[in-house]
Amino acid sequence: MANYCFDYNPPNDNEVTGHKVILYFCHGMGQNQFFEYTSHNEIRYNTRHPEVCAAVDPGTDYLTMYLCRGNDQSVPENQKIVFREDGTLLHLQTQKCLQAEMNAYNGNPAPLLRPCTGLDHQKWFFSERS
């Protein structure tokens, strides 16, 4: 699934939380495809305020966006995702990796939690925008 990026497009600026991350063809325009991986093991979407972070709800395999922790708070367990040297993104709480899958959410491709296998569909990268 080359050329697909994480994509998050909440319905409006007042409903930034509670929606799923999908995959959409990379368009290079930032905004809804601008995610940062932080030193606190978060996948952060901060082009709108308040900032939201990727999390996994219990019993699901989807990434849902929720408010990020405050500066004086620890990262919630369901938001801890480790970007490993092999390019996989490991969700610590479930010990599963994010995998790109077609027709995963309402007909859209999406990153889903799956057992870590090292498949190409589990390899991710973050790049700086120039």
Side-chain angles (χ1 to χ4, degrees), residues 104-125:
Y105 182 72
N106 291 339
N108 293 302
L112 299 179
L113 288 181
R114 295 291 183 248
C116 297
T117 61
L119 290 172
D120 284 346
H121 283 42
Q122 292 184 349
K123 304 290 173 91
W124 303 91
F125 69 93

Side-chain angles (χ1 to χ4, degrees), residues 26-37:
C26 300
H27 51 61
M29 295 185 295
Q31 189 66 12
N32 54 316
Q33 292 185 349
F34 187 77
F35 289 81
E36 293 179 318
Y37 182 75

